[in-house]
């Protein structure tokens, strides 16, 4: 049986396994190569450095929920419920990541701290999706013209909901009442958009 | 000249000095007593334990801006501008604390992590002041009846503005554009209250 070809995706999966097993402080490219049964040179042909590999695995983790959210942002129908669905899907995805595998989540918190440019790009993508919903609501007349403009308002929506997506608040996500708190923030923001 | 009487306030001031000098890991009650020229027994007569002393100094630090904010919350005049002034005063107070003495701020971050019940009480007081403004705005007809009730809406205002008061975001407070971001969140929330 011929060996599976060495793809970036296989390397990233192996990297995640190695990070989970050895922790972010100890995991090396040699560990990743060993887990794949290849030389570390083969890994370096896809990712030029340990830093590049760690950045790519962070990016992949941050992007995990992008596709789903992007579909919600671009869906048909009224903008208000779509915005609420988008924020709820983001919150649910973050909670799943934090709750299902807390050790891996802690590992990624270390990586996120190392790769702030990757995180900034991720946040820009998220805010871009919010802007898409805000603009469609303004076009349809469902939302009033925002006081601060659509782009600043999308950023404001991101900022105003960070208790429900910023990993700094992960400990809050299992509190009783957190869903009611999320609903209260959404209620206020949606009214603010309707103007 | 008779010695100054040993008041809780003098002990707390000395404790802050000692914390600043030795850091939160090393500061002891003996250091505090030495700084005041008294026995550690005299300190213990006011604060029964090292933990109690650390809690009291944390409480004092958190309460620093209470009086000012409380005056804003209870002022005369329309509720909308009062809410914005209250949020701006809170943001300004937090920025001052973080910016004027970053080392002391870092020390208090450690203490805040140790004294979560003290922090919870502080947050309750803050949300109580927000509720006071929200309720007065509803009474005067300036704010609509909130979808989630006044208490939940006050909590939502707190949550929605945490980029501008939670020390976890202290690094953001000197970013260019942070004031515009603050204004955009306030604009959205105020429209949401006006309903």
């Amino acid at each position: 049986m011929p060996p599976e070809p060495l793809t970036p995706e296989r390397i990233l999966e192996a990297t995640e396994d190695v990070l989970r097993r050895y922790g972010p402080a100890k995991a090396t490219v040699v560990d990743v190569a060993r887990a794949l049964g290849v030389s570390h040179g083969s890994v370096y042909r896809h990712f030029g450095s340990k830093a590049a590999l760690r950045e790519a695995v962070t990016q992949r983790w941050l992007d995990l929920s992008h596709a789903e959210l992007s579909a919600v942002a671009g869906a048909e129908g009224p903008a208000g419920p779509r915005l609420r669905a988008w924020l709820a899907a983001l919150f649910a995805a973050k909670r799943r990541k934090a709750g299902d595998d807390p050790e891996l989540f802690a590992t990624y918190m270390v990586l996120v701290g190392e790769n702030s440019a990757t995180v900034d790009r991720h946040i820009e993508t998220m805010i871009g999706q919010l802007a898409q919903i805000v603009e469609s609501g303004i076009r349809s007349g469902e939302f009033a013209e925002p006081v601060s403009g659509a782009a600043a308002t999308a950023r404001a929506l991101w900022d105003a909901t960070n208790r429900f997506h910023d990993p700094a608040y992960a400990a809050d996500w299992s509190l009783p009442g957190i869903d009611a708190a999320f609903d209260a923030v959404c209620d206020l923001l949606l009214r603010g958009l309707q103007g």
Side-chain angles (χ1 to χ4, degrees), chain A residues 56-76:
Chain A
V57 82
T58 308
Q59 173 93 58
R60 175 173 168 271
W61 185 74
L62 289 169
D63 288 353
L64 262 182
S65 46
H66 271 198
E68 184 200 347
L69 290 169
S70 169
V72 175
E76 298 290 314

Side-chain angles (χ1 to χ4, degrees), chain A residues 6-157:
Chain A
L6 187 65
T7 60
E9 183 55 25
R10 277 190 65 215
I11 296 174
L12 293 173
E13 279 168 18
T15 304
E16 188 170 286
D17 280 346
V18 163
L19 284 163
R20 184 189 277 114
R21 228 180 312 150
Y22 300 107
K26 289 190 180 161
T28 68
V29 175
V30 172
D31 295 326
V32 174
R34 193 178 298 130
L36 289 161
V38 302
S39 72
H40 62 274
S42 310
V43 174
Y44 281 124
R45 266 195 292 281
H46 291 273
F47 298 96
S49 65
K50 180 176 164 181
L53 180 55
R54 286 166 84 97
E55 193 190 316
V57 82
T58 308
Q59 173 93 58
R60 175 173 168 271
W61 185 74
L62 289 169
D63 288 353
L64 262 182
S65 46
H66 271 198
E68 184 200 347
L69 290 169
S70 169
V72 175
E76 298 290 314
R82 194 160 14 116
L83 177 62
R84 198 184 279 265
W86 190 93
L87 292 168
L90 175 66
F91 186 25
K94 294 278 181 156
R95 274 170 125 166
R96 264 196 313 274
K97 283 193 204 174
D100 290 356
D101 195 339
E103 255 176 72
L104 188 64
F105 190 73
T107 292
Y108 275 109
M109 286 308 96
V110 174
L111 294 176
V112 153
E114 280 171 12
N115 295 283
S116 59
T118 308
V119 175
D120 288 349
R121 271 199 309 279
H122 166 73
I123 293 177
E124 266 172 48
T125 305
M126 296 286 96
I127 294 175
Q129 294 189 8
L130 284 167
Q132 187 186 348
I133 303 176
V134 170
E135 281 156 10
S136 81
I138 297 170
R139 268 198 311 275
S140 70
E142 201 185 335
F143 294 161
E145 199 62 50
V147 182
S148 319
T153 298
R155 170 84 223 196
L157 289 168

Side-chain angles (χ1 to χ4, degrees), chain A residues 91 95 99 169-179:
Chain A
F91 186 25
R95 274 170 125 166
Y169 294 101
D172 286 5
W173 298 343
S174 50
L175 290 179
I178 190 72
D179 290 302

